[in-house]
Amino acid sequence: MASWILCCVSILSFFCLPGAAQDSKDHKKKLWDLQPKIDRAIDTGVEYLLSRQQRDGSWAFLQDQFPNGQTALAVYTLLKCDFPPNHPAVVRGLAFLDQTEPKETYSLACQVMALQASGAPGSKAKIAKLVKTLLKWQEKGAWGYPEWRTDLSNTQYGALALRAAHHAGIKVSKKTVSAMIKAALNSQEKAKTISLPAPPDGVNPKASRDSYGKTPSGLEYDRSGRSGKVAGFFYEKGSVRQPTGSMTTAGLGVLLICNQIMAGKMSGTMRTRMSSAVRSGLNWFRKNWAVDKNPGMAARHHYYYLYGLERVGSLLQEEILADHPWYFEGAKWLVSNQGGDGSWLDQEGNPFLPPNNTVRYHEHVTCFALLFLKRATRSSGSTGDKKERRGFKTYEAVATEYPVSLRGTGAATLSIWVSGFGKKVIAEHEGSGGIRVTKVQYFVDGSLVETIVGDSQKPWKFEKYPLKYAFKKPGKFKVTAKVFIRAATATDKEERPLVVLEAPGFTAEIDAVVQEWMISDAKARGRNLLHPLTKREPLNPMDAPKKAPKKRRYQVTSSSRRQGDEGGVNAFDGRQSSRWICQDGDALPSVMIKISKSIKTTSVRLSQACRNGSEAKDFDRITEVVLEINGSKEPISLTLNENVLASTIYTFPGPTKIKSLRVRVIGRRPSTINPGCAGFTEIALEGGK
């Protein structure tokens, strides 16, 4: 490892970083003062992400085109924000991702990154399989949307996936990396020598060392200190567009990742080309620096650019880029532009949406903002061994007040132990050979959950008698203990009567529990027999299949639909992000699907209109429905799950062929937000286990 670091430092010494001599004490003091706001921004940002997770563990943004993409990005973000791999949001997200193979470079890359960051059991094998697919998509070192031309944006994510695979212990061939380097270099404009802006006050371009003391600084200037070679990066080779900030960070990121994977082991010619490309790319930012916009594209892809800037700064291990304290300036802008709900707003819409779509999206840009604030690229390991994890709490009932001290730490699973005895108990047993423990009983809400046997023949020597207890549901729970010891008064140690010391304990607040319904809903996509029939064609023409779509093999009708909605078809499209909602005047709403060929089904799954916890009160809560199978005159009555987020499953006595299914709503509790509106995000026919 040491030799690898020295090699990288040697390579980076050729990258001649812009103006790292700025007064570091000044910006570090400002960053110190800003840190509490950064921490709050991260906390509220992750709370927003958690509130947007859908019942099946997924996130909604562009799910019709990139089914796995936003979910993989969100899971990766949560892990980088110190969530443990066993947190319900992470477990649910990974379970959802397991149901379908990603079909796009972005989605696959984010999934590899999430798996590597989780360190979950079996993740290395999954990464290896995904990387095999990724390499099949590579064309002349680059990636694009499969079945479409390559571009630097997709190539950057291909490189990020290979970096994650490399850190997971999967070998990435020199041939693959060399091809990526050439592809990135081909996306850079021809360098030109121009006059560069004068260094800001306090910056000495002739300084010999940067803030890390590793690389020469000021060498991007000529001897006059006022001109240098500049070359940004394009989205595509031969593009008529101008270089942009987001693509220049992408090009630099690909080159730096390739250098990291190869550990500097490359030919002298390639090394010289890379150092020259990085130098001129960094100089481009001296002329085009901004953190309040994406240089060359204004508000478009702004947060995507900031995450790219984070990668460059973190991969170079630099605090100063283009004479600017990049992290401080970017973090200051982000904390000043966060929404009240903890999210950040996509200021310019999204190119994958129809031109008339006016919806603003938050999920993906919130992820990019959080990844910047957490300096996500700086740490490449998994989160499984982190000592400080988000959601972990510590509890204690100290023996200064009670005869026994009891402590606990954890999240959904608590480690509980006896941490000591009170001074009075210790004093009473000093003359009789010490405290002798026969057993410890642990209780949760008054119920005995475990007994740990002690050894009464030996005096207590700070044994903890530990217990690990996994809670099965969220809530507040009283944790107490009884410690059975031998009395201090008797002369015969073996005949001493038992004395029971009670630890009043503590109240544990448990909110991060993986419940059974969560995993069931997360895996529902893989069991949905309707999904292959009803999934929609992508909106983005770059991702469209070459063959014409087959004739629709189903028909959906509904009693009504809310104005502006697409109707009942949304309830059968295999996505929690869309839904059918009836019109508010519909007294007996119903929705029906007819299938051209019957499907052998074992169960029906119904998911109510709210997609996540933040929408739990937005629509009428359906309490009872009837299922009409194949026009049967004997409908099946079904009471829906009291937990509105958990799906309701009706299991048939045996496999049942279904050609039509009508769901009628016959009971509901009105909402105060949208009274009269009720419906479903998804109705699925399921088969298999």
Side-chain angles (χ1 to χ4, degrees):
M1 177 62 72
S3 62
W4 182 87
I5 294 173
L6 288 173
C7 186
C8 281
V9 170
S10 174
I11 288 292
L12 291 177
S13 68
F14 284 84
F15 286 170
C16 303
L17 306 176
Q22 181 167 330
D23 185 356
S24 61
K25 291 184 179 179
D26 181 56
H27 89 261
K28 287 182 179 178
K29 171 63 168 61
K30 291 179 180 178
L31 182 58
W32 177 270
D33 294 339
L34 185 65
Q35 194 61 51
K37 292 184 179 179
I38 294 173
D39 293 340
R40 284 195 297 274
I42 293 170
D43 288 343
T44 55
V46 296
E47 286 303 317
Y48 168 79
L49 271 189
L50 291 176
S51 75
R52 301 296 296 176
Q53 189 174 29
Q54 301 181 127
R55 64 167 49 82
D56 63 355
S58 71
W59 278 262
F61 178 64
L62 289 182
Q63 198 175 65
D64 55 339
Q65 298 166 65
F66 304 93
N68 292 21
Q70 178 58 51
T71 300
L73 178 62
V75 170
Y76 177 70
T77 301
L78 292 177
L79 288 165
K80 286 297 180 179
C81 289
D82 304 324
F83 278 70
N86 62 352
H87 188 280
V90 175
V91 173
R92 295 167 66 197
L94 291 175
F96 173 84
L97 293 173
D98 276 345
Q99 303 311 303
T100 53
E101 295 293 327
K103 304 297 183 184
E104 315 83 18
T105 304
Y106 289 121
S107 301
L108 187 148
C110 289
Q111 194 159 330
V112 169
M113 293 159 67
L115 286 167
Q116 187 271 328
S118 76
S123 59
K124 185 175 180 179
K126 293 176 183 177
I127 292 171
K129 182 180 178 182
L130 290 170
V131 167
K132 188 175 180 180
T133 299
L134 180 69
L135 293 177
K136 290 180 181 178
W137 295 344
Q138 191 181 33
E139 296 181 26
K140 296 181 180 180
W143 283 271
Y145 301 94
E147 302 187 1
W148 196 257
R149 59 181 178 265
T150 60
D151 60 76
L152 186 55
S153 181
N154 274 287
T155 299
Q156 146 179 245
Y157 273 80
L160 285 167
L162 294 184
R163 177 178 185 257
H166 172 72
H167 289 304
I170 295 169
K171 185 178 179 180
V172 181
S173 73
K174 183 178 179 180
K175 181 180 179 181
T176 296
V177 179
S178 296
M180 278 196 295
I181 294 172
K182 292 177 182 177
L185 293 174
N186 286 336
S187 297
Q188 190 173 28
E189 67 176 333
K190 185 177 180 180
K192 48 187 176 290
T193 301
I194 65 170
S195 294
L196 295 170
D201 292 340
V203 175
N204 177 11
K206 302 299 183 183
S208 60
R209 292 285 168 183
D210 64 14
S211 57
Y212 278 83
K214 293 191 299 295
T215 58
S217 57
L219 298 183
E220 69 282 359
Y221 292 114
D222 67 6
R223 291 184 180 180
S224 69
R226 294 302 301 276
S227 64
K229 290 186 176 181
V230 175
F233 287 77
F234 298 113
Y235 177 72
E236 295 174 303
K237 180 182 177 181
S239 174
V240 295
R241 304 178 189 175
Q242 293 297 311
T244 65
S246 53
M247 286 303 96
T248 300
T249 59
L252 293 173
V254 172
L255 294 176
L256 295 172
I257 287 170
C258 289
N259 177 68
Q260 189 179 75
I261 293 174
M262 294 185 75
K265 296 177 182 178
M266 63 186 75
S267 68
T269 301
M270 182 63 75
R271 186 177 177 182
T272 300
R273 288 189 66 191
M274 282 184 66
S275 63
S276 177
V278 172
R279 183 187 301 115
S280 57
L282 291 169
N283 271 344
W284 187 89
F285 281 110
R286 184 181 298 283
K287 193 77 173 176
N288 299 278
W289 179 262
V291 295
D292 60 348
K293 62 182 179 181
N294 178 8
M297 295 197 81
R300 195 170 182 183
H301 303 308
H302 179 201
Y303 296 88
Y304 170 84
Y305 156 66
L306 287 177
Y307 178 35
L309 191 63
E310 181 277 328
R311 284 197 294 277
V312 174
S314 293
L315 288 167
L316 286 173
Q317 300 182 49
E318 288 301 325
E319 294 293 331
I320 305 295
L321 294 177
D323 296 329
H324 291 267
W326 63 269
Y327 180 76
F328 168 72
E329 291 187 14
K332 183 180 178 182
W333 189 90
L334 285 170
V335 299
S336 300
N337 288 274
Q338 187 177 26
D341 62 354
S343 72
W344 283 267
L345 178 64
D346 185 2
Q347 299 291 338
E348 187 124 335
N350 192 282
F352 293 103
L353 297 170
N356 61 348
N357 191 295
T358 59
V359 177
R360 297 290 181 86
Y361 286 91
H362 307 248
E363 292 176 1
H364 65 304
V365 296
T366 297
C367 288
F368 292 147
L370 289 171
L371 291 169
F372 180 98
L373 292 175
K374 286 298 293 185
R375 302 195 201 209
T377 312
R378 188 167 58 173
S379 170
S380 59
S382 70
T383 62
D385 56 355
K386 284 192 176 182
K387 292 182 179 179
E388 295 184 8
R389 299 175 181 173
R390 187 176 292 271
F392 272 47
K393 300 175 183 177
T394 299
Y395 308 93
E396 61 180 357
V398 186
T400 52
E401 301 178 31
Y402 311 116
V404 180
S405 288
L406 193 64
R407 294 180 185 268
T409 185
T413 298
L414 277 188
S415 294
I416 310 166
W417 69 94
V418 173
S419 59
F421 292 90
K423 292 181 180 179
K424 183 178 179 181
V425 175
I426 294 173
E428 287 176 349
H429 288 78
E430 280 183 350
S432 58
I435 300 171
R436 297 174 184 268
V437 178
T438 62
K439 63 181 178 180
V440 177
Q441 291 182 336
Y442 290 102
F443 299 83
V444 173
D445 284 347
S447 298
L448 177 65
V449 295
E450 189 68 72
T451 299
I452 308 296
V453 178
D455 186 351
S456 62
Q457 297 189 31
K458 296 179 181 179
W460 173 71
K461 295 292 184 183
F462 302 99
E463 290 85 358
K464 295 182 178 181
Y465 311 103
L467 165 69
K468 277 199 171 184
Y469 183 76
F471 291 87
K472 298 189 183 332
K473 61 181 181 179
K476 293 183 178 181
F477 301 89
K478 186 70 175 179
V479 179
T480 59
K482 291 181 180 180
V483 181
F484 294 76
I485 65 173
R486 292 292 178 183
T489 54
T491 56
D492 185 351
K493 296 176 183 178
E494 290 303 318
E495 295 299 319
R496 292 180 184 181
L498 288 176
V499 174
V500 181
L501 304 178
E502 295 196 15
F506 52 80
T507 299
E509 297 184 11
I510 307 300
D511 52 17
V513 178
V514 179
Q515 301 176 66
E516 186 177 344
W517 72 264
M518 295 177 175
I519 301 303
S520 175
D521 275 318
K523 294 182 176 181
R525 185 183 181 92
R527 296 194 296 266
N528 187 353
L529 300 175
L530 286 174
H531 182 236
L533 299 179
T534 61
K535 63 181 179 181
R536 303 184 188 182
E537 301 301 337
L539 295 175
N540 173 22
M542 291 189 294
D543 200 28
K546 292 180 178 178
K547 296 180 180 179
K550 295 180 179 179
K551 186 178 180 180
R552 182 175 286 185
R553 291 176 286 173
Y554 66 97
Q555 181 182 4
V556 177
T557 57
S558 59
S559 58
S560 67
R561 67 178 184 183
R562 192 170 61 160
Q563 187 174 3
D565 289 349
E566 292 185 46
V569 67
N570 282 349
F572 299 96
D573 63 0
R575 293 185 289 118
Q576 289 288 334
S577 55
S578 62
R579 55 194 169 197
W580 163 71
I581 298 173
C582 72
Q583 203 169 22
D584 58 7
D586 192 343
L588 291 172
S590 67
V591 62
M592 178 179 184
I593 186 169
K594 292 182 179 180
I595 311 163
S596 59
K597 186 177 180 180
S598 62
I599 296 176
K600 185 180 289 188
T601 304
T602 58
S603 58
V604 176
R605 180 184 295 264
L606 304 174
S607 303
Q608 296 214 40
C610 62
R611 294 171 291 202
N612 48 53
S614 65
E615 298 178 348
K617 298 180 180 180
D618 284 6
F619 306 102
D620 290 1
R621 178 173 296 197
I622 300 172
T623 57
E624 191 172 359
V625 300
V626 292
L627 308 179
E628 297 176 4
I629 310 297
N630 300 331
S632 172
K633 295 181 180 180
E634 297 181 2
I636 301 167
S637 295
L638 183 63
T639 300
L640 268 58
N641 200 319
E642 186 63 27
N643 178 359
V644 72
L645 288 180
S647 294
T648 299
I649 303 171
Y650 174 79
T651 302
F652 294 102
T656 302
K657 289 185 177 182
I658 293 181
K659 196 167 183 180
S660 72
L661 167 67
R662 185 192 299 273
V663 180
R664 293 186 183 275
V665 177
I666 60 172
R668 49 181 163 163
R669 292 201 293 269
S671 162
T672 57
I673 299 174
N674 293 296
C677 295
F680 300 97
T681 58
E682 197 63 24
I683 300 172
L685 301 182
E686 297 186 332
K689 296 181 179 180

